[in-house]
Amino acid sequence: MATITDVSKLANVSKATVSRVLSGTRGVKEESRVAVLKAVGELNYRPNVAAQNLAKQASHYIGVVLPSAEATNIANYLPLLSKGLKSFNKFMLLHYASDADDQRRVIDELQDQCEAIIVMGAPSVGPQPANVVHFDNVSIEGSIVSGYNYAFATESACRYVLGKGHRHIALLVDDAKEAASQQMLDGYRSALQNLSIPFNRQLVVEAKNDVEQGLLALINSFTKYTALVVKRDSYAAQAMRLMREFNIAVPQEVSIISLEDSPLASLLYPPLTCISYPTESLIDDCLKRVQSIVEGKPQQIEQPPAVAGRLVARASVTTLA
């Protein structure tokens, strides 16, 4: 008897795509839909609806997919997420994904074990299964999403240091093509434009999975900057370490502000000024969306609301004379 795995192999698509085609879910490419239906006909595949329903009802697991590169940063959110899932008798089934292809593979594997799947970090490109919730990403049209407003956070950070007299602000992003980085750039440009300060591309540095090299490129450049905006507190920690090694005083010569405010922020020297990442709000919103899937009422959102952070002023930003 043919299985969904046989259909996916013959059609050269994922099992999740097969499921979406057979359930009539929107967002599947026409060529993929045709390939699946053709494979179903050739294999005489008949999904066991009763078994699927029974498996779904019996599952007490919610899959959680973490990006390997950001596992340390994101792990801080897991206790709150686990506590929330337990409140409606669900438990985390944790997996890691190294890249977009690995993420798609992990999501496919979890489909048979989990009622819903939470994806943290940047999502893979293309249509997503209806039971996938993207945590902290506002770029997935038609998907179930919870997101931090990185544009607003970056603009707020820049406005704060601009108010302290800084006019040469450097911005460290992960990858300019990635959604959060694009939002950070939007907020950065907006803050500069409001004060008619020209945009200097040399002040925007991409980490490209190597934060230290990105920071070194900025430090070794001849571009003037008196403030630095970063996404993560761990990036700020690396910046402070490197600047000490290069005899650059923080905040006297370079002020630093982050868009996170993890427990690390207050432990750094000087303590780190942040636009606080709204962890609890994002997790609460994510849990509501997971619960809607569990209850059979998934929310399809075309323009998901983004969550704003708040300023936490500490000693890493100084006022220029």
Side-chain angles (χ1 to χ4, degrees):
M1 181 180 293
T3 66
I4 192 171
T5 300
D6 298 326
V7 174
S8 68
K9 288 181 178 179
L10 183 58
N12 195 29
V13 298
S14 68
K15 289 190 288 185
T17 297
V18 175
S19 296
R20 289 197 298 272
V21 171
L22 297 180
S23 64
T25 303
R26 295 182 297 174
V28 180
K29 293 180 180 178
E30 181 62 19
E31 59 187 44
S32 297
R33 189 184 70 82
V34 171
V36 168
L37 294 178
K38 181 179 179 182
V40 167
E42 290 182 12
L43 295 171
N44 194 29
Y45 172 68
R46 294 292 182 272
N48 189 333
V49 177
Q52 290 175 344
N53 290 338
L54 181 61
K56 182 176 180 180
Q57 292 169 4
S59 175
H60 290 289
Y61 294 103
I62 303 298
V64 178
V65 184
L66 300 182
S68 301
E70 293 193 65
T72 302
N73 295 320
I74 294 177
N76 293 326
Y77 317 147
L78 296 182
L80 283 174
L81 192 58
S82 176
K83 181 179 179 180
L85 292 174
K86 285 181 181 178
S87 69
F88 43 94
N89 198 32
K90 301 296 175 183
F91 304 93
M92 289 195 306
L93 192 57
L94 189 62
H95 281 257
Y96 294 90
S98 58
D99 53 34
D101 290 337
D102 194 25
Q103 185 188 101
R104 284 191 292 267
R105 180 188 59 77
V106 170
I107 290 173
D108 284 350
E109 291 178 353
L110 290 174
Q111 290 294 333
D112 294 333
Q113 307 170 61
C114 305
E115 287 189 65
I117 300 167
I118 300 169
V119 176
M120 294 186 161
S124 56
V125 178
Q128 305 290 308
N131 67 336
V132 171
V133 173
H134 290 278
F135 180 89
D136 189 17
N137 195 294
V138 297
S139 64
I140 314 300
E141 184 175 349
S143 294
I144 303 174
V145 181
S146 301
Y148 181 29
N149 193 333
Y150 284 100
F152 180 81
T154 306
E155 184 173 358
S156 298
C158 290
R159 282 177 176 271
Y160 179 70
V161 296
L162 286 166
K164 295 289 186 178
H166 297 268
R167 292 298 181 268
H168 304 281
I169 305 169
L171 177 68
L172 177 67
V173 299
D174 288 329
D175 186 328
K177 295 180 181 179
E178 186 256 335
S181 296
Q182 291 175 3
Q183 291 180 17
M184 289 176 67
L185 277 166
D186 288 343
Y188 178 74
R189 286 176 181 273
S190 178
L192 296 179
Q193 288 172 359
N194 285 335
L195 288 182
S196 300
I197 298 174
F199 173 77
N200 183 350
R201 186 65 183 80
Q202 292 181 321
L203 286 174
V204 178
V205 181
E206 292 183 76
K208 293 286 190 181
N209 297 320
D210 194 333
V211 174
E212 181 171 323
Q213 288 303 310
L215 289 167
L216 284 172
L218 177 64
I219 291 172
N220 291 325
S221 72
F222 292 99
T223 306
K224 179 181 179 181
Y225 63 97
T226 61
L228 172 64
V229 179
V230 300
K231 180 181 178 183
R232 302 282 189 193
D233 296 346
S234 59
Y235 300 175
Q238 291 194 58
M240 289 180 180
R241 174 181 61 80
L242 288 171
M243 288 180 183
R244 279 194 297 270
E245 293 176 1
F246 281 82
N247 294 315
I248 301 171
V250 177
Q252 291 83 359
E253 294 179 79
V254 177
S255 293
I256 301 177
I257 185 169
S258 162
L259 308 183
E260 186 175 13
D261 193 28
S262 70
L264 174 64
S266 60
L267 300 177
L268 294 174
Y269 184 79
L272 185 62
T273 296
C274 303
I275 303 298
S276 182
Y277 183 89
T279 304
E280 292 187 4
S281 296
L282 287 170
I283 287 179
D284 286 346
D285 188 62
C286 179
L287 290 170
K288 289 177 183 177
R289 300 178 192 281
V290 170
Q291 189 169 19
S292 73
I293 293 175
V294 171
E295 294 175 351
K297 302 173 182 177
Q299 304 174 32
Q300 296 298 322
I301 298 175
E302 295 181 359
Q303 294 182 331
V307 185
R310 61 181 179 84
L311 173 68
V312 179
R314 298 191 180 97
S316 67
V317 175
T318 191
T319 301
L320 292 185

